[in-house]
């Protein structure tokens, strides 16, 4: 009979102890619990604080476009926001001909550059290659051609506040 009371008492204490420990673990202060050096921090400002109270600079980039190019002379349109004039373009030419692309600033009508990508080749262009201080804000378009052949390529572009972020 004493064994039954002993087992029942032990079970009751275990249940009560668990009922107190679980909520304390759930509602514990996260700064006191986390000591990980791999803590990720996200924010909307230039500077944020991590749990270790370290300053972190956030890179600022924006996606400009990510397109599959097909047709005789596809056109890609995008805009560069003020302060985001550092640009990286990546092209993969799947065409069996040289791909030619021409970049135009729509607002001014200025043709800024023409580049060539070999058949089956990848190509990366950084705005600092042609514009050391970055590109002006505004609307842009890229005209893609393959010497009369059907264009088959992929391209993407990003802009950033600094060339180091590309």
């Amino acid at each position: 009979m004493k064994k039954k009371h002993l087992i029942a008492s032990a079970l009751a204490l275990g249940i009560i102890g668990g009922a107190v420990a679980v909520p304390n673990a759930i509602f514990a202060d996260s700064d006191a619990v986390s000591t990980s050096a791999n803590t990720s921090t996200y924010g909307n400002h230039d500077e944020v604080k991590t749990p270790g109270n370290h300053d972190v600079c956030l890179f600022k980039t924006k996606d400009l476009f990510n397109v599959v190019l097909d047709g005789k002379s596809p056109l890609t349109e995008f805009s560069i926001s003020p302060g985001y004039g550092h640009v990286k373009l990546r092209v993969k030419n799947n065409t069996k001909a040289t791909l030619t692309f021409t970049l135009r600033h729509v607002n001014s009508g200025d043709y800024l550059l023409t580049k060539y990508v070999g058949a089956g080749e990848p190509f990366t262009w950084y705005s600092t290659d042609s514009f050391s201080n970055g590109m002006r804000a505004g609307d842009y378009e890229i005209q893609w051609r393959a010497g009369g052949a059907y264009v088959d390529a992929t391209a993407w572009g990003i802009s950033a506040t600094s060339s180091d972020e590309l």
Side-chain angles (χ1 to χ4, degrees):
M1 181 87 166
K2 286 186 181 182
K3 285 185 180 180
K4 283 184 183 181
H5 289 301
L6 182 62
I7 292 173
S9 297
L11 285 174
L13 285 175
I15 291 171
I16 292 171
V20 171
V22 170
N24 284 339
I26 292 172
F27 297 109
D29 182 9
S30 62
D31 288 339
V33 174
S34 176
T35 58
S36 172
N38 296 325
T39 303
S40 296
T41 304
Y42 300 93
N44 294 326
H45 300 287
D46 290 336
E47 221 174 66
V48 295
K49 300 283 186 179
T50 62
N53 209 22
H54 300 285
D55 290 337
V56 177
C57 258
L58 297 177
F59 289 129
K60 291 190 174 184
T61 62
K62 289 187 177 185
D63 291 333
L64 296 176
F65 60 87
N66 187 353
V67 294
V68 174
L69 304 165
D70 58 356
K72 285 284 188 180
S73 57
L75 185 72
T76 302
E77 298 173 326
F78 62 95
S79 294
I80 295 178
S81 301
Y84 285 80
H86 297 281
V87 174
K88 177 181 180 180
L89 303 179
R90 179 87 172 138
V91 180
K92 174 63 172 111
N93 181 9
N94 301 315
T95 308
K96 294 183 180 178
T98 298
L99 181 66
T100 303
F101 70 90
T102 304
L103 176 66
R104 185 172 82 95
H105 186 254
V106 174
N107 305 97
S108 67
D110 293 341
Y111 287 90
L112 303 176
L113 61 90
T114 299
K115 294 290 181 184
Y116 304 93
V117 183
E121 295 292 320
F123 178 80
T124 303
W125 177 80
Y126 294 91
S127 59
T128 53
D129 295 345
S130 305
F131 310 98
S132 58
N133 294 325
M135 297 171 63
R136 59 187 153 180
D139 298 324
Y140 288 83
E141 65 183 23
I142 300 175
Q143 184 71 59
W144 308 89
R145 292 192 173 85
Y150 189 83
V151 173
D152 176 17
T154 56
W156 61 259
I158 61 170
S159 64
T161 57
S162 166
S163 60
D164 295 334
E165 300 166 6
L166 301 173

